[in-house]
Amino acid sequence: ELAAQLGVPGILAVNKADHEGLEQQVWEFHSFGFSDVVPISATHGRGCDRLLSAIERRIPQAGEIPAEAAAPYIRVSILGKPNTGKSTLLNALTDSDSSIVSDIPGTTRDVVEGRFSYHDKVFQILDTAGIRRKSKVEENIEYYSVNRAIGTIDSTDVVLLLIDAIEGLSDQDKKIADLAVKKGRGIIIVLNKWDLLPRTPNTLEAYRDRISFVFPILSFSPVLPLSALTGEGTKKLLDMILTVYGQLNKRVETGKLNRFFSTLIDRNPPPRTRSFQFKAKYITQVSVNPVSFVMFVNRTKGFPRDYIQYLINGIRREFGFTWVPITLEPREK
């Protein structure tokens, strides 16, 4: 309350969120009116990267314009299997040699950062060590590199999942994608080395269909072809990052949201069992980036997941959350 009166940007850090189950309960703290509510565990270090990211966005760098006038960084991490071209893509986007580029898989052992501006937005790009199967990670230095790469998702806005278009999809890609979606991050599937494929009709559509079939959790994600080596497709990628970032930070006014929510329910009421009628009463958006909604129902136990997905699909289409993950959690009022 004091921070609001003084016009000082505030962040609410909710401690002792030691596991994912406790993180799900943090939505209750949004009633205090903070735009940023960050679950952390000071003991275990959970969420600290995300908290630092939230703090950094509110502190102007030395010699820069005041924080209230400065655009925040759009944080982008490049993830994928080793030797898919992550470092080459970083260099193409930043027009530099920030990363060491090599044909030897696993050359990048740490997180490498690059920054640049595009359409008056400042991008911070993180190139990470390729994520291997844990059973294949033997050296300590590589073990910590892999874990740090996974940890960058906590402080990222948009994940670029880089896939070798020649080799195709892998189980490791699916694991990376699953983790990013669970964290509510924007995720763009980037098909690298597209210039090496024969140009045949419908190749891209076939890739998109294949990804939707293998990765149903990523049915919302944009799929873009690219050549990190030649730079072909990088402008479309940057434009898509801006679009995804904008959707991640979109907030829907509560009254407008509930009017549409009522329309969805009238059109297709919640199902009933032999002895009970489920009812959905009210909905509110509890956070942006990640985009999260809570709806109040008469009973959460057994509330149909298919009906929740129906509501999510409607919200996604109506309010323009086309390219980002959305969570909608039922709560008993």
Side-chain angles (χ1 to χ4, degrees):
E1 185 177 351
L2 179 60
Q5 292 175 356
L6 295 176
V8 178
I11 301 169
L12 181 61
V14 183
N15 194 22
K16 301 185 180 180
D18 298 328
H19 55 79
E20 190 169 345
L22 289 174
E23 284 188 9
Q24 298 301 317
Q25 300 178 26
V26 170
W27 68 270
E28 299 173 353
F29 291 88
H30 285 273
S31 62
F32 290 104
F34 285 84
S35 59
D36 268 319
V37 179
V38 183
I40 67 168
S41 171
T43 301
H44 303 291
R46 264 181 88 92
C48 290
D49 286 345
R50 187 175 167 192
L51 178 60
L52 288 172
S53 173
I55 294 172
E56 185 178 3
R57 292 181 186 185
R58 286 158 176 74
I59 300 177
Q61 301 297 312
E64 290 185 353
I65 58 178
E68 63 270 17
Y73 294 141
I74 300 177
R75 298 178 181 272
V76 180
S77 62
I78 308 174
L79 296 176
K81 294 191 307 180
N83 213 33
T84 52
K86 296 185 297 299
S87 298
T88 306
L89 179 56
L90 171 70
N91 293 344
L93 293 174
T94 60
D95 193 24
S96 70
D97 293 322
S98 302
S99 275
I100 301 172
V101 180
S102 169
D103 292 330
I104 303 172
T107 303
T108 305
R109 293 290 189 135
D110 210 338
V111 177
V112 181
E113 176 189 320
R115 298 187 187 186
F116 65 95
S117 296
Y118 179 74
H119 285 341
D120 298 323
K121 298 289 186 181
V122 181
F123 286 68
Q124 181 185 52
I125 307 290
L126 301 177
D127 164 28
T128 61
I131 298 179
R132 291 176 167 84
R133 294 179 184 272
K134 289 187 178 180
S135 60
K136 293 185 178 180
V137 179
E138 297 176 356
E139 302 177 45
N140 285 339
I141 185 172
E142 185 162 318
Y143 172 81
Y144 289 111
S145 293
V146 169
N147 278 275
R148 190 170 179 187
I150 294 173
T152 61
I153 294 177
D154 283 332
S155 55
T156 291
D157 297 309
V158 180
V159 171
L160 304 182
L161 178 55
L162 203 62
I163 295 174
D164 189 316
I166 298 173
E167 295 183 3
L169 307 169
S170 72
D171 289 339
Q172 288 303 100
D173 296 324
K174 189 172 183 179
K175 291 176 182 178
I176 297 170
D178 186 62
L179 180 60
V181 171
K182 285 182 177 177
K183 296 288 186 179
R185 304 300 177 233
I187 179 166
I188 300 173
I189 301 173
V190 183
L191 302 175
N192 192 27
K193 306 181 184 178
W194 194 255
D195 55 315
L196 301 181
L197 292 178
R199 299 301 174 98
T200 58
N202 302 323
T203 302
L204 182 57
E205 287 74 12
Y207 256 95
R208 285 172 173 156
D209 291 342
R210 170 68 175 165
I211 290 170
S212 295
F213 178 75
V214 177
F215 294 171
I217 195 174
L218 290 180
S219 59
F220 63 86
S221 296
V223 180
L224 299 179
L226 180 138
S227 171
L229 188 61
T230 67
E232 179 185 358
T234 53
K235 183 179 183 300
K236 289 183 178 179
L237 176 59
L238 290 171
D239 290 337
M240 181 56 73
I241 292 173
L242 288 175
T243 298
V244 170
Y245 181 77
Q247 292 186 10
L248 283 171
N249 289 279
K250 180 182 295 186
R251 183 176 292 277
V252 183
E253 187 267 321
T254 302
K256 186 177 181 180
L257 178 62
N258 276 277
R259 285 191 292 274
F260 179 71
F261 186 62
S262 297
T263 301
L264 288 176
I265 292 173
D266 291 342
R267 185 183 305 160
N268 182 18
R272 66 173 301 151
T273 65
R274 290 183 179 179
S275 58
F276 189 81
Q277 172 67 59
F278 288 102
K279 293 182 180 180
K281 303 176 180 179
Y282 181 80
I283 188 172
T284 185
Q285 184 175 357
V286 295
S287 71
V288 298
N289 199 7
V291 179
S292 181
F293 298 87
V294 167
M295 67 172 175
F296 296 95
V297 300
N298 57 344
R299 189 171 77 182
T300 57
K301 184 178 180 180
F303 199 95
R305 299 302 305 178
D306 288 347
Y307 192 77
I308 293 176
Q309 190 59 52
Y310 158 73
L311 295 173
I312 288 176
N313 292 341
I315 292 170
R316 188 187 296 281
R317 289 190 301 267
E318 178 70 13
F319 298 109
F321 294 105
T322 316
W323 303 115
V324 296
I326 296 175
T327 61
L328 173 57
E329 184 161 353
R331 292 282 180 181
E332 289 185 17
K333 188 167 182 178

